[in-house]
Amino acid sequence: MYVTLEPCAHHGQTPPCADAVIAAGVQRVVIAVADPSPVARGGAERLQRAGIEVTFGVEETAARELNAPFFHAIASDRPWVTLKLGVSLDGAIADAGGQSTWITNAASRREAHRIRAGNDAIAVGIGTVLADDPQLTVRDCPRATRGPNPRRVRSRGASAPGQPPGPKRP
């Protein structure tokens, strides 16, 4: 069995993953990364005690990248933030006349939606809201990778066209 993260050894909403692996009769488990969670870690030791061969570190860098938001959540109390910018080579976000125009291509827009599908919330400045009235939804990505649309975040006091203003700052 190949896994990106060490099977857990704790009872949460489900029983320990390590116990399910043992019960399935798996002979060998290749784990990319040890679980950093002080609550969940220890599954590899449980597997080894059950006589299962365990190998760590295969494709560790790729697994850390794939699970970067999870590792960040364990190590920090700050949110995982993804910044998406569409800018020209000279750093502009509009054409020479100041008009909004497509700077990116279809492939980069699809990738932006794929990334957006994995986020919980999306925030834009009031200038973008007023100038572009963006949909802020997930489109242009396979249905299987989509969850619900991200929550939309706006600064207090800012409002989109046709929307009531947010609460005023004290």
Side-chain angles (χ1 to χ4, degrees):
M1 170 183 257
Y2 290 81
V3 294
T4 57
L5 186 65
E6 175 184 12
C8 72
H10 79 296
H11 285 270
Q13 294 180 3
T14 60
C17 299
D19 291 353
V21 173
I22 294 166
V26 173
Q27 300 290 309
R28 179 175 180 237
V29 178
V30 178
I31 302 168
V33 184
D35 194 327
S37 168
V39 173
R41 69 178 159 222
E45 293 170 12
R46 190 176 285 195
L47 297 175
Q48 289 170 326
R49 283 195 306 269
I52 297 173
E53 179 187 347
V54 175
T55 303
F56 272 101
V58 176
E59 293 291 336
E60 180 175 356
T61 301
R64 286 188 179 280
E65 182 178 338
L66 177 67
N67 296 304
F70 169 75
F71 289 111
H72 178 79
I74 295 295
S76 174
D77 61 354
R78 300 184 66 108
W80 175 261
V81 176
T82 305
L83 176 63
K84 178 262 186 192
L85 295 173
V87 296
S88 62
L89 287 175
D90 64 356
I93 59 172
D95 67 15
Q99 296 298 308
S100 178
T101 185
W102 286 117
I103 293 173
T104 58
N105 63 25
S108 66
R109 289 191 292 276
R110 276 192 305 276
E111 177 65 3
H113 280 272
R114 187 194 66 77
I115 292 168
R116 183 183 288 181
N119 285 277
D120 296 324
I122 185 169
V124 295
I126 190 62
T128 298
V129 170
L130 295 174
D132 296 335
D133 192 18
Q135 293 180 47
L136 306 178
T137 58
V138 176
R139 305 175 300 282
D140 288 342
C141 71
R143 178 64 65 190
T145 61
R146 289 183 178 180
N149 281 318
R151 289 183 291 280
R152 292 154 189 96
V153 178
R154 66 178 186 191
S155 44
R156 283 186 251 157
S159 62
Q163 298 292 317
K168 299 291 183 198
R169 292 182 184 193

